[in-house]
C-alpha cells in the first residue's frame, strides 16, 4: 500500500482547498482498507474529493485505487473508488466515486443512485457486512448510515445519454474552474441557487473565492483560498439568505479538518 507523509491536501479537493495531512494512505485492496479501519476507526475516507474541502488532518484514507468493476449475475458490483461516470450517464464529467456517490446519494437529471443501488458491502463498527440498499436509508443528498462503503451492487448501468448530460453540465456550471458542485441543498420545493441570487450574493467575491456568476449555488476558487475563507463565505451566504427569507440553507458540501471541537470527519 502506498503511504505519503506530510501531504498538502489542496490538490486533492476539486475546490483546490486543503491544509496539511500528516499521512495519507492509498489502500490497493479492500482487505488493506478494512485493516486501516480496524486499526483506527476514526480515519476519514475520501473518494474523488468532488464534495469536500480540507483543513489540516492527522490522517486520511484515499480509496481511488479500489476501482474494480465486475458484472455479476446479481448486478454490477463496483469497489468504492470506481468512477461513477463509468456506470451512470447522469454523473458524466464528474470524477466522483461509488463510495462518495452512495454516501451523498449522487443525483442529477432526474436520477439518483438510490434508484439503482441493490446492496452495499460496508465496514461498520469493526465488522464487514452486506446491507440491502434500504438499510443505508438514502435520502436527498444523504445516507442515514454510519460506516464506510467498501463496494456496491447496482441493478444495471445507464450510459446512453452520457454526451447529452455532459454538454448540459458544461453549459450550466463554471466548467474548468475549481468547484465542488452545489454548496447547499435545495429546500423542499425551492432552489438554493435562486434564493442565493435573490439575496444578492450571485457573483459575490470574498478573498480568492467567488459565488459563481453562472450558478449561484456553486463557489469557485480563483487561487489561494483557505478552508477558513470557505467556511466564512458559507456563513455569509447563509446569513444573507436567512435575513431575506428566514430560511436556513442546509450545507451539502463537506469539510474535513479541525474545528473548535476537534477534527471533523
Ligand atoms: C463538477 C462537479 C459537479 C457535481 N455535480 C453533482 C451532481 O450533479 N449531483 C450531485 O449529487 N453531486 C454533484 N457534485 C458533488 C459530488 O460529486 C458528489 O457529492 C459525489 O457524490 C461525491 O463523491 P466523491 O467520491 O467525490 O466523494 P468525496 O468528495 O471524496 O467525499 C464526500 C463525502 O463522502 C465520504 N466518503 C467518500 N467515500 C466514502 C466511502 N467509501 N465510505 C464512506 N464515506 C465516504 C467522505 O468522507 C465525505 O464526507 C458535483 C461535484 C463537482 C466537482
Amino acid at each position: 500500500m502506498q503511504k505519503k507523509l506530510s501531504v498538502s491536501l489542496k490538490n486533492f479537493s476539486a475546490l483546490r482547498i486543503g491544509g496539511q495531512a500528516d499521512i495519507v494512505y492509498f489502500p490497493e485492496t479492500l482487505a488493506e482498507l478494512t485493516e486501516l479501519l480496524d486499526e483506527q476507526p476514526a480515519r476519514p475516507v475520501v473518494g474523488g474529493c468532488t464534495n469536500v474541502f480540507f483543513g489540516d488532518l492527522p490522517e486520511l484514507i484515499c480509496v481511488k485505487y479500489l476501482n474494480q468493476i465486475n458484472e455479476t449475475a446479481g448486478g454490477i458490483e463496483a469497489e468504492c473508488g470506481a468512477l461513477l461516470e463509468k456506470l451512470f450517464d447522469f454523473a458524466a464529467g464528474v470524477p466522483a466515486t461509488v463510495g462518495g456517490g452512495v454516501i451523498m446519494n449522487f443525483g442529477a437529471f432526474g436520477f439518483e443512485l438510490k434508484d439503482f443501488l441493490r446492496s452495499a458491502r460496508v465496514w461498520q463498527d469493526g465488522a464487514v457486512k452486506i446491507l440491502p440498499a434500504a438499510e443505508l436509508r438514502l435520502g436527498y443528498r444523504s445516507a442515514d448510515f454510519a460506516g464506510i462503503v467498501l463496494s456496491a451492487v447496482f441493478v444495471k448501468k445507464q450510459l446512453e445519454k452520457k454526451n447529452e448530460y455532459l454538454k448540459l453540465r458544461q453549459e450550466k456550471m463554471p466548467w474548468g474552474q475549481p468547484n465542488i458542485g452545489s454548496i447547499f441543498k435545495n429546500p423542499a420545493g425551492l432552489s438554493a441557487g435562486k434564493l442565493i441570487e435573490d439575496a444578492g450574493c450571485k457573483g459575490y467575491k470574498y478573498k480568492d473565492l467567488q459565488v459563481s456568476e453562472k450558478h449561484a449555488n456553486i463557489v469557485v476558487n480563483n487561487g489561494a483560498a483557505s478552508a477558513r475563507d470557505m467556511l466564512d463565505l458559507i456563513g455569509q451566504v447563509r446569513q444573507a439568505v436567512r435575513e431575506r427569507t428566514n430560511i436556513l440553507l442546509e450545507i451539502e458540501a463537506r469539510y474535513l479538518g479541525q474545528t473548535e471541537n476537534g477534527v471533523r470527519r
Side-chain angles (χ1 to χ4, degrees), residues 31 102 107 149 158 179 186 198 222:
V102 168
V149 176
Q158 177 179 287
N179 76 84
N186 290 320
D198 291 348
N222 291 319

Side-chain angles (χ1 to χ4, degrees), residues 50-78:
T50 60
N51 200 42
V52 290
F53 59 102
F54 300 99
D56 293 330
L57 284 172
E59 298 187 301
L60 182 68
I61 301 174
C62 174
V63 299
K64 66 177 182 180
Y65 297 125
L66 299 173
N67 53 17
Q68 295 291 312
I69 299 175
N70 291 307
E71 305 215 5
T72 69
I76 314 288
E77 181 159 18

Side-chain angles (χ1 to χ4, degrees), residues 14 33 44-52 63 80 84 90 93-109 141 145 147-150 169 173 175 179-182 252 254 256 265:
L33 173 56
V45 172
V46 288
C49 302
T50 60
N51 200 42
V52 290
V63 299
C80 53
L84 268 188
F90 55 93
V94 185
T97 62
V98 163
V102 168
I103 288 296
M104 298 305 302
N105 187 22
F106 185 102
F109 306 109
R141 301 299 168 268
F145 149 82
I148 299 300
V149 176
L150 303 175
R169 255 181 213 290
M173 296 187 68
W175 205 251
N179 76 84
I180 44 174
S182 297
E252 179 174 328
R254 301 272 179 105
L256 296 178
R265 302 184 162 91

Side-chain angles (χ1 to χ4, degrees), residues 19 28 30 36 53 60 80 87 89-90 98 119 124 175 194 200-201 204 209 222 232:
E28 287 158 44
L30 291 180
L36 286 168
F53 59 102
L60 182 68
C80 53
L87 301 172
D89 49 12
F90 55 93
V98 163
S119 64
Q124 196 177 35
W175 205 251
K194 176 81 170 52
C201 296
Y204 171 68
L209 295 170
N222 291 319
D232 288 347

